[in-house]
Amino acid sequence: MQIKTILNRVQKFKSFVYGSVHWVEGAAIPTVEVEIRARVNSRPLCSKCGRPSPGYDRLPVRRFEFVPMWGHKVFFVYAPRRVACLDCGIRVERLPWVAGKRRLTDTYAWFLAGWAKRLSWKEVAVSFRTSWDHVFCSVERAVSWGRAHQDLSGVEAIGIDEIAWQRGHRYLTLVYQIDGHNKRLLWIGEKRTVKSLLRFFRWFGRERNQALKFVCSDRWRPYLKVIAKKAGHAIHILDRFHIMSHLSKAIDAVRAQETRELKEKGYEPVLTKTRWLLLKRPENLTDQQDTKLSELLQYNLKSIRSYLLKEEFQLFWSYTSPYWAGRFLDKWCTKTMRSKIDPMKKVARMLRRHRPLLLNWFRAKKQFSSGIVEGFNTKAKLTTRKAYGFRTYHATEIALYHALGALPVPKTTHEFF
Ligand SMILES: [Zn+2]
């Protein structure tokens, strides 16, 4: 069996045939070249309009890298013809194995992009003895093809999230589809401003915006306005993940402040002595000790009470009826407002302000929010972290779309991996 036979199995062209196959002498990495010839009597196609056109001349031989085989690099070798197209003038002919002036065949680019979903870009480059740039270009091609061919119909639920990148100095806005049957990253934009989100809605298009039924997002104020304007008919949901993270942050703040206050007031070195304060019968304490104890108890209670309030709030998510969930929320907020713990009161005020949005969570079924955005958030952070070599926004964007976009790939007759 000849290599040509295998090639015809994995990649057959209508108007081109494989010619001789030979070694490249003295190549650093074992390399095989496969000559390609135009089929006799086939007319070249204009690369711009695709029409069969009369030949004009022939360009020098070019090499196009194909999928490596058995530890050998494989190149197609072909001297492209130029055509004299009636409409477009003198053009290079269309080549079925590569688009444009690229050096990697489409098949090889898809091959690398496929591996880049499983390995880091650097690992792919090392594994297939190619450059980081080639891997990047392949992924970029896969993403741009996938985004041009993806089906955006039937998107009913979206989740809006943000992640920090470049050591937390800058933010990205991420919009996910979170429908039960289809979960994927739809769009990425720089920053987390009103404009970022407006750009999403503009890209998504008016018709699709209006088909949205559920929008899940952080309470971040600018978003609320944009969503109300662009998809006001959709139910806007504040999701569990974000609410709970606000509460966690509040507890952190309480604890940090408390520790600082204790230190300032000199309680830290006195911690051993507090044991006696606590063990002694209250009536046996001196006035000074009594004051100290009640002060200390108050400090300790802040962290503990915040924690208990948060735990209690978990109950909120177990309600099924928006009405009873609302009653619970009101009671919790009242209680928290009386707690005299400022960071917690701040959260309570925020929750009160967004009461209708919170209750929408129950109307929109839990499946739309809990965990989905959180899961994506984790994956997105992992992707950007794994790719910390990416200096540019563009590379980060490509990596995220590739990892989370669930983008389509063209149907091929042969699967290479
Ligand atoms: Zn043409």
Side-chain angles (χ1 to χ4, degrees):
M1 186 170 65
Q2 289 190 307
I3 287 178
K4 279 200 275 192
T5 317
I6 302 174
L7 280 168
N8 274 315
R9 274 278 176 99
V10 301
Q11 179 112 67
K12 198 177 169 77
F13 305 116
K14 218 174 124 196
S15 313
F16 297 85
V17 291
Y18 294 108
S20 70
V21 178
H22 56 261
W23 299 102
V24 175
E25 297 297 337
I29 300 169
T31 303
V32 164
E33 282 184 346
V34 181
E35 277 174 19
I36 291 188
R37 288 196 310 265
R39 220 176 265 281
V40 187
N41 296 331
S42 76
R43 289 184 78 193
L45 307 179
C46 166
S47 58
K48 193 172 177 221
C49 67
R51 278 214 321 212
S53 308
Y56 178 76
D57 64 357
R58 206 173 256 283
L59 295 174
V61 163
R62 279 175 61 196
R63 296 189 348 145
F64 308 88
E65 191 164 2
F66 192 63
V67 181
M69 176 188 71
W70 300 337
H72 288 69
K73 280 187 165 287
V74 178
F75 286 89
F76 289 168
V77 178
Y78 180 71
R81 294 166 287 183
R82 286 201 302 176
V83 299
C85 176
L86 286 176
D87 293 328
C88 319
I90 309 297
R91 293 269 162 184
V92 182
E93 68 174 315
R94 181 174 287 182
L95 303 173
W97 57 86
V98 72
K101 289 182 177 175
R102 294 173 165 128
R103 278 154 59 198
L104 302 190
T105 59
D106 294 339
T107 306
Y108 186 38
W110 280 111
F111 176 85
L112 291 176
W115 278 104
K117 272 194 182 167
R118 304 170 192 205
L119 306 171
S120 76
W121 296 358
K122 202 181 163 193
E123 284 166 330
V124 176
V126 172
S127 304
F128 297 100
R129 297 199 237 181
T130 186
S131 66
W132 190 93
D133 283 336
H134 277 171
V135 179
F136 172 69
C137 288
S138 302
V139 175
E140 199 181 27
R141 278 160 80 172
V143 166
S144 90
W145 191 94
R147 300 226 351 118
H149 290 82
Q150 68 184 341
D151 180 6
L152 291 174
S153 63
V155 178
E156 293 189 344
I158 58 167
I160 302 158
D161 196 18
E162 60 192 44
I163 56 166
W165 73 297
Q166 290 197 335
R167 291 169 194 266
H169 294 312
R170 291 167 72 181
Y171 286 86
L172 301 176
T173 299
L174 302 152
V175 183
Y176 303 103
Q177 178 180 8
I178 53 170
D179 285 296
H181 62 284
N182 206 347
K183 298 180 185 67
R184 57 182 163 164
L185 174 66
L186 287 176
W187 188 85
I188 307 162
E190 272 185 286
K191 300 181 185 167
R192 51 170 180 182
T193 58
V194 180
K195 276 186 186 161
S196 320
L197 198 58
L198 273 172
R199 280 207 309 277
F200 161 75
F201 283 115
R202 215 168 288 146
W203 167 80
F204 203 48
R206 201 156 162 251
E207 214 168 288
R208 281 192 283 261
N209 290 343
Q210 284 175 353
L212 291 174
K213 288 186 179 152
F214 304 101
V215 178
C216 222
S217 87
D218 192 352
R219 77 170 177 96
W220 224 59
R221 204 174 266 279
Y223 287 3
L224 297 185
K225 283 183 196 158
V226 179
I227 294 161
K229 194 174 157 201
K230 291 288 179 181
H233 56 282
I235 295 178
H236 181 203
I237 310 161
L238 282 174
D239 69 79
R240 180 175 184 164
F241 168 57
H242 282 113
I243 300 300
M244 294 322 281
S245 77
H246 280 296
L247 281 168
S248 296
K249 274 178 201 153
I251 290 174
D252 276 346
V254 173
R255 212 168 42 199
Q257 199 191 349
E258 205 163 43
T259 312
R260 213 164 38 238
E261 280 172 5
L262 284 171
K263 214 174 208 172
E264 274 168 15
K265 297 195 175 175
Y267 281 111
E268 207 186 37
V270 192
L271 273 175
T272 42
K273 287 182 190 168
T274 61
R275 192 162 169 245
W276 292 109
L277 289 176
L278 295 166
L279 282 175
K280 253 185 177 180
R281 306 275 320 222
E283 60 266 32
N284 292 339
L285 295 173
T286 62
D287 284 352
Q288 207 191 344
Q289 280 175 321
D290 198 37
T291 322
K292 245 185 182 179
L293 175 66
S294 48
E295 243 180 314
L296 198 67
L297 279 175
Q298 204 194 341
Y299 280 127
N300 278 337
L301 269 173
K302 269 191 185 174
S303 292
I304 294 163
R305 265 160 54 216
S306 303
Y307 169 77
L308 291 175
L309 280 169
K310 182 197 168 196
E311 284 308 298
E312 195 185 329
F313 192 80
Q314 296 282 11
L315 264 178
F316 177 67
W317 308 107
S318 65
Y319 280 89
T320 44
S321 131
Y323 174 79
W324 290 107
R327 294 273 301 248
F328 173 88
L329 181 67
D330 296 340
K331 275 191 188 162
W332 187 89
C333 286
T334 309
K335 190 175 170 182
T336 305
M337 289 309 287
R338 286 184 190 141
S339 71
K340 293 179 186 164
I341 307 170
D342 284 333
M344 295 299 285
K345 280 163 76 179
K346 209 173 134 196
V347 177
R349 272 196 293 270
M350 186 269 288
L351 294 178
R352 269 186 180 167
R353 227 173 20 242
H354 298 309
R355 190 180 188 273
L357 295 180
L358 265 173
L359 297 183
N360 278 343
W361 192 80
F362 297 91
R363 297 194 183 96
K365 292 179 214 153
K366 298 172 185 184
Q367 71 193 67
F368 282 131
S369 53
S370 62
I372 302 174
V373 173
E374 187 181 359
F376 271 125
N377 185 282
T378 310
K379 274 188 211 159
K381 277 184 187 153
L382 198 74
T383 305
T384 48
R385 204 179 311 140
K386 208 165 73 178
Y388 71 98
F390 311 166
R391 293 282 147 74
T392 64
Y393 166 70
H394 179 60
T396 309
E397 186 187 28
I398 294 294
L400 286 168
Y401 278 133
H402 194 53
L404 305 171
L407 293 171
V409 297
K411 283 200 169 63
T412 51
T413 47
H414 181 78
E415 300 279 331
F416 282 89
F417 67 99

